[in-house]
Amino acid sequence: MFTTRPTLQGTFGMVSSTHWLASQCAMAVLEDGGNAYDAAVAGAFVLHVVEPHLNGPAGEVPILLAPAGGEVRVLCGQGVAPAGATVAHYKGLGLDLVPGTGPLAAAVPGAFDAWMLLLRDHGTKPLADVLKYAIGYAEHGHAPVENVGATVETVRELFETEWTSSAEVYLPDGRPPRPGRLFRNPALAATWKRLLAEVAGAGDREAQIEAAREVWRGGFIAEALVRQAGRPTLDTSGSRHTGTLTAADLAGWSAAYEAPATYDWNGWTVCKAGPWSQGPVLLQQLALLPPELPAHGSADYLHLLIEGCKLAMADREAWYGDAAEVPLDDLLSDGYNAARRELIGAKASYELRSGSPGGRAPRLCAHAHVIAPGEPGFSPMGAGEPTVAKGPASPVPGEPEVTADGTTRGDTCHLDVVDRWGNMVAATPSGGWLQSNPVVPELGFPLGTRLQMTWLEEGLPNSLTPGRRPRTTLTPSIALRDGVPVMAFGTPGGDQQDQWQLHFFLAVALRARVRGGLDLQGAVDAPNWHNDSFPGSFYPRGMRPGSVTVEARTDTDVIEELRRRGHRVTVGDAWSEGRLCAVARDPETGVLSAAANPRGMQGYAVGR
């Protein structure tokens, strides 16, 4: 099979991420004697610097970790809705949806605390050792990828007229960051240097990390975040609003460990975050598969996976969330999915068919609607994490776009690491994009906007609810073979993440091996696709029944057969679907491997 690059193999350590600098810095930590968790934290903070249009310290991150010889765990870095973030409050402001930008959309920031817990409990390095790479790039500069500057250029007027603290960082000489020119964020570097100075006398490694958590929750960082939330800010509603985040909200929340949701399939066990994420959608898609699958890549194969995805996503809309009990055991049960499988016919379905697990009646938000042809706010090529309404333009999915009316969207990052001892981690950082909220002037980074994923309608599993997590699309994966962790993987891409990951996983599980190991790069490179037959997780929350977007490399006979079956097929660019990263470990030989996505031209795997 043709691949864009080889599947890397070695025995010392492997890293794959959505930016080469994050991958290499994580690898440097491994070379310096650190383990996978030290490396992941270092890489994550570099991602905040080099992909500020895709993530930030005040965003969120779900982390899956598989310690050598231990149990797979989920570390939840998704913050909750503040105490003042009630449906009544937002309705009282005349809103029907949470704005896509601004402080009203800010949950309690979750990413920083999650990375600190990972470092404290599973790492070996001092905080200063893992932060030095991010500090160096923020203080001394890095050559930015094209899309950082492109994103800033599209929000230039907003930054210059309204979000002036963002202009100070991202338009320092009146021009956005440019490839080949060093770009610096001295405010962010100063924040981390001040943090390290304040915790230096706290004691040993663990005590310093705990002190850093307290600075975030109650020190100068917390004070600056709360001040920013209280500043009237122009958001996508067209009005200026203040947020609901308070000092008590920050002080009262911390990241936490959970057991993963799991599903066993053909000797594999796939581990995901719980139904406060969309992670179990991948598990449901596996549960919906028949015992025998059609030929990989055939029209029958794509049709089966597309229709199964529609059923799993319909259940996501009716049942997933953190504001109500989720009947996950029923949703993943054999009997339930056998009955659901019978709904898959020879033709494409245009209905949102939520199931009734355990006899419960499904309930969907009344606001979700079908996007009419030509209606602003949706693009079949718009795979990513929109912060606001998207126009009908079709850029490469997975990168920010700004439409003619000035609205923008963001996306996400991903990072996987496996070390020579067998420790494994998969993480999907996102939120806190430079285009989501004004830069906090004292800190050099903005608040996030994850509350836009909740509904302003009471009684739903994903209703805006104080103290509860918005249902996130962020969904890293770890897969076990015969009970032993074998592979960590994930991708940016909003609602598309568990579609692209399923296709990748099945390609790995069902197709040829290379050099005695898993063909990770072949599975990453294989033509991918997504559908939009369910309410989107981001404003304006629309759906396009029957819509399927495939890469131009897809066989033309397959495309025509899908159309014959009623699928509304959009043919995208040849390399436009998915931004997968993956690492793996063969438990029998100890051989490590890694692969990264060529789409977007900035994801890289490294290792030896």
Side-chain angles (χ1 to χ4, degrees):
M1 174 195 289
F2 166 77
T3 60
T4 57
R5 50 184 95 166
T7 295
L8 305 184
Q9 290 189 323
T11 57
F12 182 81
M14 291 283 163
V15 182
S16 179
S17 87
T18 48
H19 196 288
W20 62 84
L21 290 178
S23 295
Q24 190 56 52
C25 290
M27 191 68 202
V29 173
L30 295 180
E31 296 283 4
D32 194 41
N35 66 18
Y37 309 112
D38 298 313
V41 176
F45 279 85
V46 170
L47 285 173
H48 298 158
V49 179
V50 300
E51 293 193 320
H53 58 313
L54 305 178
N55 79 137
E60 43 275 326
V61 58
I63 304 169
L64 267 65
L65 57 147
E71 297 293 322
V72 176
R73 300 289 286 169
V74 176
L75 178 50
C76 174
Q78 174 57 66
V80 299
T86 65
V87 170
H89 175 63
Y90 287 63
K91 289 283 193 181
L93 296 173
L95 299 170
D96 293 320
L97 288 173
V98 177
T101 60
L104 273 179
V108 177
F112 179 88
D113 198 59
W115 292 119
M116 291 301 101
L117 275 186
L118 184 68
L119 183 65
R120 184 196 72 182
D121 297 340
H122 299 278
T124 65
K125 291 287 189 180
L127 181 58
D129 283 8
V130 296
L131 284 184
K132 66 183 181 183
Y133 304 94
I135 292 172
Y137 284 122
E139 184 172 23
H140 302 298
H142 65 96
V145 295
E146 287 83 352
N147 279 295
V148 177
T151 303
V152 174
E153 184 60 50
T154 54
V155 288
R156 172 196 290 273
E157 183 178 355
L158 176 67
F159 282 12
E160 290 178 337
T161 60
E162 294 281 346
W163 296 8
T164 54
S165 59
S166 297
E168 291 178 11
V169 173
Y170 292 104
L171 295 165
D173 56 358
R175 298 181 64 186
R178 303 182 292 287
R181 302 284 186 92
L182 290 180
F183 172 69
R184 300 172 175 84
N185 187 340
L188 179 58
T191 295
W192 298 144
K193 291 171 77 172
R194 179 178 173 183
L195 173 73
L196 291 175
E198 290 195 7
V199 307
D204 62 10
R205 190 187 78 91
E206 289 80 6
Q208 290 187 17
I209 295 169
E210 276 300 296
R213 297 179 69 207
E214 290 306 311
V215 171
W216 181 275
R217 291 195 298 224
F220 79 94
I221 294 177
E223 292 167 359
L225 292 172
V226 171
R227 276 195 300 272
Q228 185 62 43
R231 294 181 175 116
T233 301
L234 182 67
D235 59 36
T236 56
S237 71
S239 299
R240 293 177 180 82
H241 293 112
T242 57
T244 60
L245 184 69
T246 67
D249 294 318
L250 281 165
W253 183 85
S254 67
Y257 294 98
E258 302 175 356
T262 64
Y263 188 78
D264 296 330
W265 183 82
N266 283 14
W268 294 81
T269 299
V270 180
C271 303
K272 303 291 285 186
W276 52 268
S277 77
Q278 73 172 5
V281 162
L282 189 149
L283 308 183
Q284 281 193 264
Q285 290 177 93
L286 288 172
L288 284 162
L289 295 175
E292 297 293 328
L293 296 180
H296 187 277
S298 66
D300 287 340
Y301 181 82
L302 267 68
H303 175 76
L304 175 69
L305 267 58
I306 291 164
E307 293 302 300
C309 177
K310 292 175 185 178
L311 294 173
M313 284 296 197
D315 278 345
R316 182 195 77 168
E317 286 309 299
W319 300 109
Y320 289 23
D322 196 36
E325 184 178 352
V326 179
L328 191 59
D329 288 345
D330 289 334
L331 288 167
L332 296 179
S333 67
D334 291 341
Y336 177 77
N337 286 289
R340 296 283 277 161
R341 193 180 305 127
E342 294 299 317
L343 297 175
I344 298 176
K347 294 288 188 178
S349 169
Y350 283 48
E351 301 174 50
L352 189 66
R353 298 180 289 181
S354 303
S356 300
R360 303 167 183 85
R363 180 183 165 195
L364 296 165
C365 179
H367 192 89
H369 66 289
V370 174
I371 296 288
E375 178 182 341
F378 187 87
S379 166
M381 298 292 290
E385 297 219 343
T387 57
V388 298
K390 233 173 97 33
S394 297
V396 175
E399 292 296 343
E401 175 211 7
V402 176
T403 65
D405 61 0
T407 56
T408 75
R409 70 182 184 93
D411 204 354
T412 298
C413 308
H414 188 80
L415 174 70
D416 300 311
V417 188
V418 60
D419 63 28
R420 63 190 185 274
W421 300 287
N423 300 302
M424 192 176 292
V425 60
T428 310
S430 187
W433 305 292
L434 67 85
Q435 65 274 31
S436 64
N437 256 306
V439 166
V440 184
E442 305 93 326
L443 303 178
F445 58 84
L447 288 164
T449 54
R450 192 60 55 172
L451 292 186
Q452 68 175 293
M453 307 186 74
T454 61
W455 294 113
L456 296 183
E457 180 178 333
E458 300 282 9
L460 299 169
N462 194 32
S463 298
L464 178 64
T465 307
R468 298 289 183 172
R469 293 165 288 191
R471 188 195 70 213
T472 180
T473 51
L474 308 174
T475 172
S477 304
I478 284 181
L480 289 65
R481 184 72 177 167
D482 299 321
V484 180
V486 169
M487 183 167 61
F489 58 99
T491 178
D495 293 308
Q496 284 68 42
Q497 289 183 30
D498 281 313
Q499 300 186 58
W500 292 336
Q501 289 186 68
L502 175 72
H503 313 158
F504 164 81
F505 172 74
L506 291 177
V508 169
L510 299 173
R511 302 189 74 176
R513 298 162 70 86
V514 292
R515 295 193 299 274
L518 300 174
D519 184 14
L520 300 184
Q521 194 63 51
V524 167
D525 288 350
N528 218 316
W529 68 92
H530 80 271
N531 86 91
D532 302 291
S533 297
F534 50 87
S537 294
F538 295 84
Y539 185 93
R541 313 304 298 269
M543 57 183 171
R544 294 178 73 240
S547 169
V548 177
T549 303
V550 302
E551 291 184 321
R553 294 180 295 130
T554 305
D555 188 279
T556 54
D557 291 340
V558 170
I559 294 172
E560 289 309 309
E561 176 62 17
L562 290 176
R563 286 174 170 155
R564 190 188 68 78
R565 295 185 182 204
H567 297 279
R568 295 172 174 169
V569 180
T570 296
V571 179
D573 292 339
W575 297 90
S576 56
E577 291 285 312
R579 285 181 66 205
L580 282 143
C581 299
V583 300
R585 179 180 184 271
D586 186 323
E588 294 183 3
T589 65
V591 171
L592 311 178
S593 55
N597 176 54
R599 304 163 180 91
M601 309 224 305
Q602 64 194 64
Y604 277 86
V606 295
R608 69 172 179 88

